[in-house]
Amino acid sequence: MLTRLPALVDVHVHLREPGATHKEDWASGTAAALAGGITTVLAMPNTLPTINSVETLAAGLKQAAGKAHCDYGQYIGGAVGNAATAAAVAPLAAGLKLYLDQTYGDLKLDDMLDWLPHFAAWPQDWPLCVHAESKTMAAAILLAALHDRPVHICHVSLAEEIALIRAAKQAGLKVTCEVCPQHLFLCEDDILALGAGRAEVRPRLASKADREALWANLDVVDCFATDHAPHTLQEKDSATPPPGYPGLETMLPLLLNAASEGRLTLDDITARLHSNPRRIFRLPEQPETYVEVDLDSRYEIRAAEQHTRCGWTPFEGWQVNGRVVRVTLRGQTAYEEGRLLAAPGSGRPIRH
Ligand code: DOR
Ligand code: ZN
Ligand code: ZN
């Protein structure tokens, strides 16, 4: 029997176009999204070049329009000196992304003085997301509070982070957050088996206690998101492995499997992949759009069956209960039983 879920959103993906389409592009990334039961992706700006201007945002959206198989949005990145420019094009952007800690790409804002113009200029009612870990996260929440504005914390991975977010929410601050599958299902004990290069990810895999703290505080987690960060197997196994895991095709099966084990409910999943993302990121309805899953279909996760171009998954060989069978986008079957049916360019932008 099939179970029907509503349109599902991944608010945090890296699709590598422009600049590194051998890892992923708008076509392969959105194909992977549909295969994973995701009907809208919001793409991060740490591309090559980075998306940080009117021109680069327009070029990125144009590439997406021609190739995307599912609906999409594109973030603009906060850089030194682009706060006014970014704010001016905010209506076309999924949101503003600020990189406040070191990760992949060139967008890190080293100096806290360079954060301030962004918190001041970006429209108060429009999504502002931060890569900010540990004490950097505390600083980002302080800046948001000083500006009385919402802030969305990407990929929470630590017990101390989720505890501070709970306290901030209790104090009435407008903080929302997401947690990624790698921090719910893996921890530092898995690094050896994964191999050091493949295990590289930001935020890093944390302790078992951190992982369990995320599960214990699921009520303060607003969204699940993949942080789909494809790098090829060759790159991951090289002397300088870039950080990041693919995730679009494994997030929903892993969450459904957790539901089958009684660790969360289908309503918990729907809230964090549909209702909350839609509200926080101010996303339009996707009419006649739904995801059909078979909760009793047990299968083995295999990179060879994925649509992502990166060619691997940290969950290789995992047995999961819960398979994405069919995805219907605006009344059309977009994906069915391993086959991509949506044409390139049939995805629509979430902003106009
Ligand atoms: O592991 C990561 N990879 N974390 C990030 O924050 C960026 C991402 C990437 O773009 O590869
Ligand atoms: Zn990040
Ligand atoms: Zn990311």
Side-chain angles (χ1 to χ4, degrees):
M1 213 191 52
L2 295 185
T3 301
R4 191 185 272 207
L5 303 175
L8 302 180
V9 181
D10 187 347
V11 301
H12 190 154
V13 306
H14 300 266
L15 297 185
R16 311 305 187 197
E17 186 167 1
T21 52
H22 67 286
K23 300 174 195 266
E24 203 79 288
D25 72 355
W26 276 103
S28 63
T30 53
L34 288 171
I38 302 296
T39 58
T40 301
V41 292
L42 304 187
M44 286 296 164
N46 61 335
T47 47
L48 277 170
T50 57
I51 292 180
N52 60 6
S53 64
V54 180
E55 296 75 24
T56 48
L57 178 63
L61 287 170
K62 193 171 167 199
Q63 284 165 333
K67 292 167 97 169
H69 298 276
C70 73
D71 293 355
Y72 59 89
Q74 172 65 60
Y75 289 94
I76 189 164
V80 177
N82 80 341
T85 309
V89 291
L92 289 176
L96 175 70
K97 175 69 180 283
L98 299 180
Y99 288 89
L100 308 182
D101 281 310
Q102 188 53 54
T103 182
Y104 187 70
D106 299 327
L107 272 168
K108 168 139 190 267
L109 293 174
D110 284 308
D111 190 331
M112 216 184 332
L113 284 174
D114 292 322
W115 310 3
L116 300 173
H118 288 289
F119 279 85
W122 187 251
Q124 188 133 14
D125 61 350
W126 218 232
L128 192 167
C129 301
V130 291
H131 180 129
E133 304 179 35
S134 187
K135 294 178 179 69
T136 311
M137 185 201 79
I141 291 175
L142 173 65
L143 260 77
L146 293 175
H147 287 88
D148 187 28
R149 60 158 313 130
V151 65
H152 180 80
I153 311 296
C154 296
H155 42 49
V156 173
S157 67
L158 301 176
E160 64 177 32
E161 292 169 352
I162 201 70
L164 193 71
I165 290 169
R166 177 180 291 285
K169 285 187 175 195
Q170 273 166 359
L173 302 185
K174 297 164 187 163
V175 180
T176 57
C177 72
E178 74 196 25
V179 167
C180 305
Q182 59 269 28
H183 300 118
L184 284 174
F185 297 107
L186 297 171
C187 68
E188 59 195 5
D189 301 357
D190 297 303
I191 294 174
L192 203 61
L194 282 168
R198 295 190 196 186
E200 280 292 347
V201 68
R202 298 293 177 278
R204 290 185 167 83
L205 296 183
S207 71
K208 205 175 257 176
D210 288 309
R211 187 188 66 191
E212 292 321 302
L214 300 181
W215 282 101
N217 292 282
L218 223 45
D219 60 317
V220 291
V221 174
D222 300 279
C223 303
F224 293 131
T226 59
D227 197 4
H228 179 78
H231 300 285
T232 66
L233 208 46
Q234 197 188 346
E235 292 162 341
K236 294 294 284 181
D237 290 344
S238 74
T240 52
Y245 301 162
L248 278 166
E249 289 162 271
T250 45
M251 175 169 65
L252 186 56
L254 288 166
L255 291 170
L256 294 174
N257 187 60
S260 81
E261 293 171 347
R263 306 188 76 186
L264 79 180
T265 67
L266 288 186
D267 283 349
D268 288 331
I269 296 174
T270 301
R272 288 164 185 75
L273 287 177
H274 172 79
S275 331
N276 295 344
R278 175 157 289 166
R279 184 188 74 253
I280 296 163
F281 290 86
R282 309 181 56 137
L283 303 175
E285 284 286 324
Q286 292 177 290
E288 287 183 80
T289 298
Y290 45 88
V291 178
E292 289 168 279
V293 296
D294 184 346
L295 298 174
D296 303 313
S297 172
R298 191 170 177 78
Y299 77 103
E300 186 177 307
I301 293 174
R302 287 198 202 101
E305 287 165 18
Q306 295 195 137
H307 293 74
T308 174
R309 210 163 269 167
C310 72
W312 76 288
T313 164
F315 303 106
E316 183 76 35
W318 285 39
Q319 303 276 332
V320 287
N321 258 324
R323 183 194 281 275
V324 178
V325 173
R326 189 181 301 115
V327 178
T328 303
L329 180 59
R330 281 184 289 280
Q332 306 282 323
T333 306
Y335 170 87
E336 190 169 35
E337 306 271 17
R339 284 174 306 131
L340 177 70
L341 301 173
S346 56
R348 290 196 191 159
I350 55 144
R351 313 278 191 234
H352 301 284

